[in-house]
Amino acid sequence: AFSNVKILPDLLRAGISAVKIQGRETSSDVMQETVRFFRELIDEYYRGPSDYSVSDTRMKQWQELDNERIRQMKTRSPVLVNQLMEITQ
C-alpha cells in the first residue's frame, strides 16, 4: 500500500514511472478517487518539479481517502488490514 504521498516527488525525481495501488478490497468508487488523486498529484509535480511538495491540503485529502480505503478493507478482509497496519506502523 502506498501510504505516504509526501515521498511521491522523490519517487518521480528518481524516475519511477508506475505506482501500484492496491484496490482489490475496495469499491470501484474509492479506487476511481484514488487513481484520480494520484494523477492530479503527478500532473501538479510535472507543472513545477523544482519546487514541488505535497501540500497540507492534499495530505488531508489523502488521509481521508486512505482512511475510507482502509475502512472498506477492514470490512472485506480483516486479516489483510491487520497485516497492512503492522507494515505501516
Side-chain angles (χ1 to χ4, degrees), residues 15-31:
I16 299 299
S17 60
V19 176
K20 168 72 171 102
I21 301 172
Q22 185 176 351
R24 194 173 301 130
E25 300 293 327
T26 58
S27 70
S28 60
D29 290 341
V30 169
M31 278 312 302

Side-chain angles (χ1 to χ4, degrees), residues 23-42:
R24 194 173 301 130
E25 300 293 327
T26 58
S27 70
S28 60
D29 290 341
V30 169
M31 278 312 302
Q32 189 175 20
E33 287 181 50
T34 302
V35 170
R36 183 180 308 122
F37 179 83
F38 276 96
R39 177 76 263 168
E40 289 171 358
L41 283 182
I42 291 166

